[in-house]
Amino acid sequence: MKISELAQETGVPLATVKYYLREGLLPQGIPTSATRAEYGEQHARRLRLIRALAEVGHLSLDAVRAVLAAVDDESATLHATIGAAHAALAPDGTASRHSRASVDELLRRHGWQVARTSRNRQSLAVALDALDRVGFAVGDDTLDTYADAAAQVASSDIDSVPSDGTEDAVQHAVVGTVLMEPVLLSLRRLAHEDVSARRLSKRRVRTARRTRD
Amino acid sequence: MKISELAQETGVPLATVKYYLREGLLPQGIPTSATRAEYGEQHARRLRLIRALAEVGHLSLDAVRAVLAAVDDESATLHATIGAAHAALAPDGTASRHSRASVDELLRRHGWQVARTSRNRQSLAVALDALDRVGFAVGDDTLDTYADAAAQVASSDIDSVPSDGTEDAVQHAVVGTVLMEPVLLSLRRLAHEDVSARRLSKRRVRTARRTRD
């Protein structure tokens, strides 16, 4: 198909498609004349993936590039690819000694096997520092509840990755890491609404009873 | 303190402090001369909150502004403030009829009380659409696992909000919604590493045994 058809099929504006081509995120089409190229279904798939990572995953173009490189690296094992994608996704920044110790302690408490060099240790410590800076105290009980919930979700995630180690499995793992995040966060906010509504209605009932007494 | 001292105390670059003042995110100080103003501890607190929301919460300045407005609205109840903050945080976009039906069905299945007009329904449906567009199938089992995990976390979150409805309680609820998100996501990725390492080492053990047989 022509580039205009590619844009139409994927719903991505033509200018954006051209930008992704210039930036090397989307591979060039096969030239059919000096000014034209032919694009295939694999371009459409890649284009949808870029949009999903950028718009739903809120990744910067550099992060999208790093994730795509991990997906495209045929020599890497699934475990290594997930690691590479995580490294690309983890924010920069150095965490305080105190928060790093909290993370170490948490991982020990739950018996999690995580590489000393994992960027995700750093991400968690940076997130705890940010809470600390605004005076938001996070107790071990809260962290444990979060860790247990995360473990349930992660176990279900890894169950759903095809075990054959093909390109599809790698793409599934990387895409699932990023694109299931907004699902989890939306569900947490929906659950906040539910819990908040339930407690509010209980309080109303209690007040009503007190009035009757 | 002077503006330069405010910048130093909070570790925020002076140019950024001035930018936040110009944008109205940070209230002006009390003028002490034509070119000088005095800043207090509440400026430092607000500045740290803005930085945390922008850098850790990855909120745009418009979203930061909306969250601060919700925190500052003294007339609102806690429940209403959380709702306003959620509305400010939820991404725009319209979801497919199919994904909206999946969300309705999920909420019914779990018996969650969520307003028909909640923006979070929309966020979840948009996230499901993005997965659908890249061919990532999310089954009801997976959604249920995620929902159960989200409910545990949300219940712990609401438990930790001071029940007195003061400014602190509102700030706690709004900040907790945003700043605990990276904690949950980092923990999910750490749990991925753990689950992946465990299954890999199991596989290795099995191979080793087979070699011995």
Side-chain angles (χ1 to χ4, degrees):
Chain A
M1 66 190 116
K2 290 187 291 187
I3 190 168
S4 58
E5 290 163 338
L6 177 65
Q8 196 160 18
E9 185 182 315
T10 55
V12 177
L14 184 59
T16 308
V17 176
K18 288 181 174 170
Y19 176 66
Y20 291 157
L21 281 168
R22 267 200 317 275
E23 290 287 315
L25 292 173
L26 190 66
Q28 301 292 329
I30 297 158
T32 52
S33 77
T35 57
R36 287 195 158 179
E38 179 70 17
Y39 296 86
E41 209 30 65
Q42 77 277 22
H43 288 93
R45 253 203 321 272
R46 172 58 52 110
L47 197 48
R48 287 193 198 97
L49 178 57
I50 297 170
R51 290 298 266 186
L53 292 170
E55 290 184 3
V56 184
H58 295 296
L59 301 193
S60 68
L61 281 199
D62 279 346
V64 170
R65 198 191 310 279
V67 170
L68 294 178
V71 169
D72 290 341
D73 182 358
E74 290 175 11
S75 70
T77 64
L78 181 58
H79 188 65
T81 302
I82 297 176
H86 280 182
L89 295 170
D92 288 333
T94 36
S96 69
R97 185 185 293 266
H98 174 257
S99 288
R100 281 185 284 135
S102 294
V103 172
D104 290 347
E105 182 50 45
L106 173 75
L107 295 177
R108 218 176 1 251
R109 222 161 44 232
H110 289 261
W112 288 4
Q113 298 176 18
V114 174
R116 298 274 346 146
T117 55
S118 165
R119 291 278 289 271
N120 295 319
R121 287 172 177 266
Q122 182 73 5
S123 307
L124 178 54
V126 166
L128 293 177
D129 275 345
L131 286 155
D132 195 49
R133 269 199 301 276
V134 294
F136 193 105
V138 183
D140 282 350
D141 281 2
T142 303
L143 280 181
D144 288 343
T145 302
Y146 271 67
D148 289 340
Q152 289 163 35
V153 160
S155 187
S156 149
D157 290 338
I158 304 277
D159 281 344
S160 75
V161 176
S163 56
D164 53 2
T166 59
E167 189 202 342
D168 273 0
V170 172
Q171 169 144 344
H172 186 102
V174 173
V175 170
T177 295
V178 177
L179 292 191
M180 286 302 282
E181 291 186 346
V183 172
L184 182 57
L185 297 184
S186 297
L187 281 167
R188 173 171 172 257
R189 291 184 185 184
L190 285 165
H192 280 159
E193 288 192 57
D194 171 57
V195 176
S196 172
R198 258 167 223 288
R199 302 207 180 167
L200 209 67
S201 65
K202 260 192 209 144
R203 208 176 297 159
R204 273 208 202 107
V205 170
R206 214 178 297 139
T207 315
R209 279 202 190 130
R210 204 175 295 152
T211 314
R212 267 210 311 272
D213 286 347
Chain B
M1 66 189 117
K2 289 187 292 187
I3 190 168
S4 58
E5 291 163 336
L6 177 66
Q8 197 160 18
E9 185 184 314
T10 55
V12 177
L14 184 58
T16 308
V17 177
K18 288 182 174 170
Y19 176 66
Y20 290 158
L21 282 168
R22 266 200 318 275
E23 289 286 315
L25 292 174
L26 190 67
Q28 300 293 329
I30 296 157
T32 52
S33 78
T35 57
R36 286 196 159 180
E38 180 70 15
Y39 296 86
E41 212 29 66
Q42 77 279 22
H43 288 95
R45 253 204 321 273
R46 172 58 51 110
L47 197 48
R48 288 193 199 97
L49 177 58
I50 296 170
R51 290 297 266 187
L53 292 171
E55 289 184 3
V56 184
H58 296 296
L59 301 192
S60 68
L61 280 199
D62 279 346
V64 170
R65 197 190 312 277
V67 170
L68 294 177
V71 169
D72 290 340
D73 181 0
E74 290 174 11
S75 69
T77 64
L78 181 58
H79 187 67
T81 303
I82 296 177
H86 279 182
L89 295 170
D92 288 332
T94 36
S96 68
R97 183 186 293 266
H98 174 257
S99 288
R100 281 185 283 135
S102 294
V103 173
D104 290 347
E105 181 51 43
L106 173 75
L107 296 176
R108 215 174 7 246
R109 220 159 47 229
H110 289 261
W112 286 6
Q113 298 176 15
V114 175
R116 297 270 352 144
T117 54
S118 165
R119 290 278 289 270
N120 295 318
R121 286 173 178 263
Q122 182 73 3
S123 307
L124 178 54
V126 166
L128 293 177
D129 275 344
L131 286 156
D132 195 49
R133 270 199 299 277
V134 295
F136 193 104
V138 184
D140 283 349
D141 281 2
T142 304
L143 281 181
D144 288 343
T145 302
Y146 270 67
D148 289 340
Q152 288 162 38
V153 160
S155 186
S156 150
D157 290 337
I158 304 279
D159 281 344
S160 76
V161 176
S163 56
D164 53 2
T166 59
E167 190 201 343
D168 272 0
V170 172
Q171 170 144 343
H172 186 102
V174 174
V175 170
T177 295
V178 177
L179 292 190
M180 287 301 282
E181 291 187 346
V183 171
L184 182 57
L185 297 184
S186 297
L187 282 167
R188 173 171 171 256
R189 291 183 185 186
L190 285 165
H192 280 160
E193 288 192 58
D194 170 59
V195 176
S196 171
R198 256 167 225 287
R199 302 207 180 167
L200 208 67
S201 67
K202 257 191 210 148
R203 210 176 296 160
R204 272 207 203 108
V205 170
R206 213 178 298 140
T207 316
R209 279 199 189 133
R210 205 174 295 153
T211 313
R212 268 210 312 273
D213 287 347

